Amino acid sequence: MPIFNFRDEDALGKVASVDTTNVIVDVENIDQLKRLQVNHLAVLQSSRPGQHLIGLITQVTRKRGIEDIANDGISEQTSELNLCKIALIGTMLDRDGERENVFRRTLESVPEIDANCFSLEGENLTGFMRTLSSISADGNALTLGKYTLDEHAVAYLNGNKFFQRHAFIGGSTGSGKSWTTAKIIEQMAGLSTANAIVFDLHGEYSPLVDPGIQHFKVAGPADVEAKRTIDDGVLYLPYWLLSYEALVSMFVDRSDQNAPNQAMIMAREINQAKQKYLEDGGQTDVLKHFTVDSPVPFKLDFLMGRLNDINVEMVPGARGEKQGDFNGKLSRMISRLENKISDRRLGFMFNGGGDVLDFSWLGF
Ligand SMILES: Nc1ncnc2c1ncn2[C@@H]1O[C@H](COP(=O)(O)OP(=O)(O)OP(=O)(O)O)[C@@H](O)[C@H]1O
Ligand SMILES: [Mg+2]
């Protein structure tokens, strides 16, 4: 079915002049002229059947007749010129081969003088916007609200395009970005096929409640103290999830002259600690493939014990014992580590309780 349904008596007016892409319409009805706004859309009858031309209103003018102004205040209203200038932007085809209602950003024809011009609003606007975002009217479409262009026209969102690509919600402050986001989250929650994770950095969307929405928060100091768990919606992100790069940047001070040694020892010892964990747990399959970056739990006590041993290591020398290669070189890294481990703000990493060392923790 064609999306447009215009009656001649609803026309704004008739085309008075045409140049390459601009059309001037003579608006007969003064009330209609007052309702027109720049940047609203207009539809023009085309010379070809099954086509409509779409344009943007760029100018609305109401002019009294010249004699009138010259008459110095005495209004005779001899003539009035109500004009609306429209920039053509494309063509709406009722049918293009197999497809119905296709919008093309080209002008497939030009309007003729005296062709009817209509304002695009209400159901006609909804239909047009729906076509632009190629949304079928199957009732499962996402909606954003109403257009400011026309409060009766529903704004639809093409979920396939929106979720499968990068998207950006932009606008000046107070323009409704947060509301739009909340609306999208709410509708997403109702979809049986959608899985979405929202990283809500400022807790802005915590008031959103829906059976399809689960809230989690990363454990803060109070959650750690109260031993809240995932059952309370509290998440821990244990240190063993950190990649080697992240661990090094957290624990090794790059400006320390021993930094390269410390990083090297760190990699070796974490690898050892992970290996020990896998051996103790009989995880022979994983043992064959894991690397220092693999999300395999390891015991922090074990790692700290090893680092302390290396830091005070004595080795046999020619004349009795001498200091090992890394003796004293890890001191600063060890105290950095100890500080982080006891930092209450990092409780979500180092204080997750016993079950974060469970091999199935990540899956859970
Ligand atoms: N679709 C809407 N219909 C009616 N009112 C709205 C709509 N969207 C937003 N508002 C109103 O505008 C106000 C500001 O909206 P919102 O908080 O979403 O803006 P924002 O773009 O996120 O602003 P900021 O950049 O400051 O975060 C809201 O409090 C609400 O009253
Ligand atoms: Mg906001």
Side-chain angles (χ1 to χ4, degrees):
M1 258 207 0
I3 53 163
F4 288 146
N5 186 14
F6 293 112
R7 295 177 311 171
D8 283 354
E9 59 264 36
D10 294 335
L12 280 176
K14 293 191 186 304
V15 173
S17 117
V18 184
D19 67 26
T20 38
T21 55
N22 281 302
V23 175
I24 292 177
V25 172
D26 207 346
V27 182
E28 285 143 21
N29 184 328
I30 186 70
D31 289 330
Q32 282 202 320
L33 185 80
K34 283 184 188 158
R35 279 186 28 228
L36 289 183
Q37 283 178 31
V38 165
N39 280 338
H40 282 203
L41 291 163
V43 181
L44 293 146
Q45 264 174 354
S46 156
S47 50
R48 293 202 203 150
Q51 292 191 5
H52 286 90
L53 294 161
I54 311 289
L56 268 180
I57 298 177
T58 54
Q59 199 177 36
V60 183
T61 331
R62 182 182 181 182
K63 272 190 193 134
R64 292 274 162 86
I66 310 279
E67 316 94 301
D68 212 26
I69 297 159
N71 235 337
D72 212 26
I74 305 154
S75 170
E76 285 183 36
Q77 281 202 324
T78 44
S79 64
E80 208 170 67
L81 210 55
N82 299 326
L83 297 177
C84 155
K85 196 168 167 188
I86 294 167
L88 297 177
I89 56 170
T91 312
M92 189 74 206
L93 308 170
D94 287 352
R95 173 165 289 285
D96 181 23
E98 290 287 285
R99 298 191 304 152
E100 277 194 330
N101 297 319
V102 177
F103 178 72
R104 291 224 191 113
R105 286 172 213 277
T106 51
L107 303 177
E108 314 262 314
S109 60
V110 285
E112 288 168 345
I113 297 293
D114 274 349
N116 275 329
C117 173
F118 304 89
S119 166
L120 187 49
E121 48 195 25
E123 278 180 15
N124 289 322
L125 180 60
T126 306
F128 176 65
M129 291 302 193
R130 223 190 243 264
T131 306
L132 281 195
S133 42
S134 31
I135 291 165
S136 57
D138 63 359
N140 203 12
L142 301 172
T143 62
L144 290 181
K146 307 277 169 57
Y147 284 100
T148 44
L149 278 179
D150 176 1
E151 60 189 34
H152 300 297
V154 182
Y156 287 95
L157 184 66
N158 183 330
N160 283 339
K161 285 185 180 167
F162 183 75
F163 293 119
Q164 288 173 18
R165 298 180 193 173
H166 298 285
F168 170 84
I169 297 172
S172 54
T173 183
S175 57
K177 300 181 295 295
S178 298
W179 276 47
T180 304
T181 308
K183 174 90 180 164
I184 293 169
I185 296 173
E186 266 178 1
Q187 293 188 79
M188 226 157 40
L191 296 173
S192 56
T193 48
N195 289 312
I197 299 174
V198 177
F199 291 91
D200 183 12
L201 301 191
H202 304 290
E204 207 181 347
Y205 303 102
S206 53
L208 277 184
V209 183
D210 186 285
I213 300 176
Q214 252 182 305
H215 290 267
F216 296 101
K217 64 178 285 223
V218 173
D223 300 311
V224 175
E225 253 154 51
K227 297 202 188 308
R228 293 197 189 105
T229 64
I230 189 101
D231 299 325
D232 310 305
V234 172
L235 281 182
Y236 293 85
L237 300 167
Y239 55 90
W240 55 262
L241 287 176
L242 293 172
S243 67
Y244 168 66
E245 281 297 324
L247 278 165
V248 166
S249 70
M250 193 158 175
F251 298 126
V252 178
D253 176 2
R254 297 266 182 201
S255 65
D256 192 320
Q257 57 173 353
N258 290 314
N261 279 330
Q262 291 172 352
M264 185 270 289
I265 299 272
M266 195 77 169
R268 193 182 76 191
E269 292 307 321
I270 289 172
N271 223 28
Q272 291 284 316
K274 287 186 174 177
Q275 177 157 359
K276 179 168 186 331
Y277 177 92
L278 291 171
E279 280 167 0
D280 290 352
Q283 301 289 346
T284 41
D285 276 358
V286 187
L287 260 173
K288 287 182 217 147
H289 308 296
F290 87 102
T291 72
V292 66
D293 279 333
S294 306
V296 170
F298 65 89
K299 291 211 169 96
L300 216 45
D301 302 351
F302 179 79
L303 176 73
M304 291 302 282
R306 282 290 301 153
L307 294 178
N308 275 309
D309 288 350
I310 296 168
N311 199 38
V312 296
E313 197 175 29
M314 299 298 284
V315 292
R319 281 164 287 144
E321 284 203 320
K322 60 167 188 163
Q323 292 190 337
D325 284 347
F326 304 108
N327 192 307
K329 293 190 169 144
L330 305 184
S331 306
R332 291 186 56 186
M333 180 174 79
I334 290 169
S335 59
R336 246 175 109 87
L337 244 165
E338 283 169 350
N339 279 338
K340 300 268 183 198
I341 292 171
S342 57
D343 188 335
R344 291 171 42 136
R345 293 169 302 175
L346 298 179
F348 68 92
M349 250 191 215
F350 296 110
N351 245 323
D355 55 352
V356 298
L357 283 178
D358 196 329
F359 189 72
S360 59
W361 182 89
L362 193 54
F364 174 65

